[in-house]
Amino acid sequence: MAGLSAVTSSPTSVRQRKPGKPPPSPSPAPTSAADIPLAAPPRGPAPRKPLVTLEDAQAEALQRAGLVDGADGGGSDGSEDNEAGDGRAGAEDDVEGEGGGEDEGTDGAEWDEFFDSLQLTVPFCFLYLMMDILTNLSYSRHPAWTHYAQNMLTSVPTIGMIIFYSTRYLHLPPVRVLLLATSIAAGTRLIWLVNKAPYLLVMGQAPAVGTLWIITVVQLPLQHVAAALAVVFAWSWWAKMKFRP
């Protein structure tokens, strides 16, 4: 027993530790702001997540077209109702848009016709006034300005209506035939007035007949104008009329 106690009490009997690596020494703490490592900030704008991705837009478009059904029955019914409502609303909008476009197109065409006619009406009215003045001056007459104003009040609406309707319906063959006959009649009448009529009849009819002849010449196509002028010149040669008094 004495020997056992001696063995257990001896320090040499304790298990010896194996030599290992020495523990790492702690890193020194930073002493200044320059010694603190800083991470570089990211360059460029931060990426933003799009509100609607391409996949979501394609899926929504396919659902609207009816190619893809909803995830469940209730969702599909709701989507079908929404799609039907959207379709009806779109159809109504299309119908309203087409109706509005037609109305705007009609109004625009009417205004174009009005301004086209106005561009010809104004110069022809001044042409009538000039012919009226020259006709009176050729016979040494100097009427008051009320005479010219009264003649203009009656001639301006007539000239405007002739130009407006002849411009609108010029593509119709009956209208062209009517303008052709009017051109021949006005041309022969004016030449007869210059050669045979008394001066009072000339002053009363020559400005209106001359203006009407020029209107028909301007409105008709070239081949119709050539035919009308050929007839007028042939009649003048046959009747031995002069083109000046």
Side-chain angles (χ1 to χ4, degrees):
M1 294 296 291
L4 181 59
S5 61
V7 172
T8 56
S9 62
S10 61
T12 57
S13 63
V14 178
R15 183 178 299 178
Q16 297 180 357
R17 297 179 180 179
K18 295 182 179 180
K21 296 182 180 180
S25 60
S27 59
T31 59
S32 63
D35 297 334
I36 300 175
L38 299 176
R43 297 181 179 180
R48 296 181 179 180
K49 184 178 180 181
L51 299 178
V52 179
T53 60
L54 181 60
E55 291 79 4
D56 296 339
Q58 291 179 350
E60 184 178 358
L62 292 176
Q63 288 180 358
R64 288 181 178 275
L67 300 178
V68 176
D69 296 331
D72 52 1
S76 62
D77 295 339
S79 62
E80 289 177 358
D81 294 340
N82 293 333
E83 291 173 4
D86 295 340
R88 289 192 296 270
E92 293 176 357
D93 294 340
D94 293 339
V95 171
E96 292 178 357
E98 292 177 357
E102 291 178 357
D103 295 339
E104 292 177 357
T106 305
D107 296 339
E110 291 178 354
W111 280 109
D112 290 341
E113 291 180 353
F114 172 76
F115 284 112
D116 291 342
S117 302
L118 186 63
Q119 289 177 355
L120 292 176
T121 302
V122 173
F124 277 118
C125 290
F126 281 103
L127 174 64
Y128 171 81
L129 178 61
M130 183 190 67
M131 294 184 69
D132 194 6
I133 294 174
L134 293 178
T135 304
N136 285 275
L137 290 178
S138 64
Y139 293 100
S140 300
R141 295 184 74 253
H142 303 278
W145 66 270
T146 55
H147 166 79
Y148 299 112
Q150 184 178 0
N151 289 344
M152 288 294 291
L153 287 176
T154 57
S155 62
V156 168
T158 305
I159 294 174
M161 291 180 62
I162 292 174
I163 293 176
F164 179 79
Y165 287 106
S166 62
T167 303
R168 171 178 284 187
Y169 301 108
L170 185 61
H171 62 282
L172 300 177
V175 176
R176 293 187 179 183
V177 172
L178 180 60
L179 288 176
L180 179 63
T182 304
S183 179
I184 295 172
T188 54
R189 179 66 177 179
L190 181 63
I191 294 174
W192 182 85
L193 287 172
V194 172
N195 287 268
K196 300 294 184 179
Y199 75 96
L200 292 177
L201 188 61
V202 172
M203 288 187 296
Q205 295 185 6
V209 174
T211 304
L212 181 60
W213 189 18
I214 299 175
I215 289 174
T216 56
V217 170
V218 172
Q219 293 291 83
L220 282 172
L222 182 59
Q223 59 272 20
H224 295 76
V225 173
L229 292 178
V231 173
V232 172
F233 281 107
W235 177 84
S236 301
W237 176 80
W238 175 79
K240 297 180 181 181
M241 296 289 181
K242 298 179 181 179
F243 292 98
R244 61 180 182 179

